[in-house]
Amino acid sequence: MNTRQQSKLTYSWYGRPASSDRKLRTFQYKGIVITSESSKTETCIQLGDFILVEGVNADQPYVAQLVDLYEDGAQHKRAVVQWFCRLEEIPQNKRKLLKREVSPQEVFLDQILGYDTDIAAETIIKSIGVLPLHLDEELPIITLNKEKPFYVKQSWDGKCFKVLSPDTFSKLKEASKKRGVISNSSKAFIPPDNLTPVKKEMESVVWSATKPKSVDMKIEPKHSASKSSLAKERHSQRVANSDIKTPTARKKLELNSPTRSKGRLLGCEVLGLLDDDCDAVTPLEPSATKRKVKFTSDILGSPPKIPCSNDKSKLASETAEHCQRFSDTIRLSPYTKIRDFSEKDKNLHVKDDTISLVGYQKPRTQSPMLTPRSRRTCAQKTSALIAEQISVLNQEDTLSSSDSSYSSSSEEEEDDDVPCTPEKKTKFSTPKSSRKSAVHTPAKTPKKTPLSRTPRTPRNATPEIPRRIQAAQEPASVLEEAHVSAIPESLPCREEEFQDIYNFVESKLIDGTGGCMYISGVPGTGKTATVHEVIRCLQQAAENDELPPFQCVEINGMKLTDPHQAYVQILEFLTGQKVTATHAAVLLAKLFSTPGPKRKTTVLVVDELDLLWTRKQNVMYNLFDWPTQKHSKLIILAIANTMDLPERIMMNRVASRLGLTRMSFQPYTYKQLQQIVSSRLKGVKAFEEDAVQLVSRKVAALSGDARRCLDICRRATEICEFARQKRTPEIVRMSHVTDAIDEMFSSPYVNAIRNASLHEQIFLKAILAEFRRAGVEEATVQQVYRHHVALCRMEGLQSPTVSEIMAICSRLGACRLLLVEASNKYLHVRVRLNLNQDDVMYALREE
Amino acid sequence: VLDEFDLFVHHKNQTLLYNLFDISQSAQTPVTVIGLTCRQDILELLEKRVKSRFSHRQIYLMNSFDFKQYIKIFKEQLSLPSEFPDETFAQKWNNNVQHLSEDKTVQDVLQNLFHHTKDLRSLHLLLMLAVSAVTVHHPLLTAADLQEASKQHRTDSKANIVHGLSVLEICLIIAMKHLNEVYDGEPFNFQMVYNEFQKFIQRKAHSMYHFEKPVVMKAFEHLLQLELVQPLERPSVRAQREYLLMKLLLDSSQIMDALQVYPNCPTDVKQWAASSLSWL
């Protein structure tokens, strides 16, 4: 759109400070003048204007509405904005919730709370036009202006799209209208007094509304509504603000986390209440402006389209919206009852807690209901939509599919059963509410994963032979349990490491700083699993508003074709752009080194770090350099196998940036392995105590690899099951385990030699003879051939030709019993044994 | 299914294997990876983190059958299926096969092959050679056919080449053989071979035509092209061709065998080859 040259633009305040805050030593202004030296033009941007703000991506500046301008104590020009987001900024998987075509000029009122609304005034590029539209309105085609205005139809709060509430709509409408006036007269400077009273009002409201209490929000309209239009204006303004500000206390959510925030809904309810008042007032207003008339007509004309309006009076009982709210209140019930008098903010907290404790299951079913609210008219449609959404979700996550479909259907049933009464609050003590609370209580234990996982549920995720599912009831689950992929509920024996990593990341998150941590350990010691667990717990905590929100990026060195692809992956995850590696590196460096307005802390997990090694090590250098930047807010967890990787392969400057926060995962001891196995089996009596111990001792002595341990257990179970088909059922005994271990660890060579043909065996004997003769463990085929012929004579066999000998030799070479040179030397090919001479002797003597 | 699994191991970083194993362990997608390889030591080629993700489930397929089963396989391979159009012929053929399998010579042939390799592919090859001898006039397979096929199958390729050589070239090879015996397998050059050849010529000048040195050189180069002789190092521009170090790629027994069947070989040459001390 425009590439701004910073040097040529100067920013100055427009007019004198309108008000000042002595305590904070800030001065507030009504406008800002951007002077471009090159073109000698001046543009004046005033409060309420829509502006473009520099973003991560140069071609895609952020759209925002200017809410406030002030100069802080350090003479920095700051601006407070209300963000709008483009479709590109909405995560891909959420876009389909919109269910309609979106023009590139359409933006959404951004109600995600995680974004910093306080930005540096210098990042403002210019003012633009944003027109609010109703959902069914077509985009007007404007060809008069060169610049295309943006359009707002819906708002976006990170989880769902909503139709603009009438207040916001009218507010936006006014702002855009005003902008038209200003832009008309932008050449002639408007004196400060020329400002419309409305604007003045708005400005003051903005600042009085910074700490709104929903309590007085409810009271205030009652007296103000009947007074004057000005007061109403003010009230609507406040409502809009409360929309934005009340929930700031609550946590900001990960964009793709399915949990929905309650606060939105509550805000809507409040809005609905207030709308009632508004409706009552409008007829009383003789001086109702054109805008207001339109506003009321909106409400009366198309009631189903406005989600939150007048639900007390109009309740269309079958609408999905209603059902949804209905179930909401039910879930909230135990708390509201107890803490009727508690502060609203606090209440919101509690609700969030409940949701997250209840786990994935509910949010999942909830989110589909939430989404296309505005369009739903009847229950049939709703259920169809739900089914559709669920199928989408199923594809996304097969694990929870059964759960979610189950509970959603049950909810639907409930909705059908219970006649929907408008007085939702009376429903508190229905049996359902007790059922719901019963669901979440067992999950309340802290640190437990929310994934409610029943051990016996056959999940299609684990690869299995169909026969096995039918074969036996019990071992099927044991096998699944032992499969490496089965996610354990907790990671036994890694509590200490877990706590360390957790504390590290948590402290960095709270401080809002960056940092690195290096985690090492031999394969199969649970490094990646522990880190994943930490991230999951942190995300949980962030959802519960105990921590600031963060986003987690994971890259795996093994999954990159080239170390430089790491940049591309990270950038794609953060911004969704797909660019070349070098460009991505530049963009990322810019992203992490400059303070961004909408910046969240990023946790970057780099698995298999050693594969990001390049000759110049620039990938690793950059990765570890970013966290040291002041504004990066980047936390890196690097995982690799070698403990001394930093010293071994990294240059000094890279190693120093990595820092000294190290953690090494020791191989599991046999006791730990035993514990892991038994925790996996979770009390199912399938293994003998001794058998488990044998496995864990064996593995611990070899590698301490938990994966190996579980594999042996699986194999042992299979052997046992196989044996059971013939005999009586029994549990896995020592003998099965020994079989499994033998199968896995035994050397294949001896077996291979025993099954070789006669001449192959003679050839091996000849090799041994030749070695003994020469004293060197290497011989040419020619030498061996002579021995071979002699041996054949002894055995009374027909001696093979050279071609046959060569064939035998190459066959043994292919099995790697022999190490053979490249075969172009024919008879002079050198041959060496790939295994111990004694092994060969042993294998041949058995015959 | 990854056939020739060992070659996947040589990919850079074994990324493919790592990811495949990782997926199969992560429960996202039901994937089973089956790798096929002839190498017994495949596990040692896997990188440690890839190895850790491998399930260590190995199945070894060995040709563990004995000779009786081998004969059975032979019969099955050769028998005509029941849906063969000409039923009477099929019956005849199958009876013949039954006879063959009980025949002593046939069993000897098979036993020999079995001793060499338990590979079924070589059995197929042998049978193909034998069956290709079947014509309209010679409708049934005989034991002689199989023996002939076995002979073909077993023949030494290098010895065959020797059959097609000229007397001069044979003489050169014999000279080389003697050199090998004298110097115990040390490499030689053309000049040495030529000298040896000259000595032989001088002794038996009456029976052999005297060859010019360039002609002998030509013959020597021909041997080089047939890869019966191999240079030890790459021919460089500076080194004279006469002095390039060479190695004979034939065993003395091969040479003797070849000479036995060589048609019209001068007796002098045969004697020379048989005599261990060439200068006598």
Side-chain angles (χ1 to χ4, degrees), chain A residues 553-569:
Chain A
V553 186
E554 198 187 334
I555 54 172
N556 188 327
M558 269 295 199
K559 293 180 180 166
L560 301 171
T561 47
D562 180 83
H564 293 96
Q565 288 295 314
Y567 295 131
V568 182
Q569 284 219 344

Side-chain angles (χ1 to χ4, degrees), chain A residues 195-212:
Chain A
L195 287 169
T196 51
V198 180
K199 211 196 299 170
K200 264 186 195 163
E201 194 51 48
M202 209 162 78
E203 192 187 314
S204 62
V205 165
V206 171
W207 281 93
S208 63
T210 37
K211 23 180 177 161

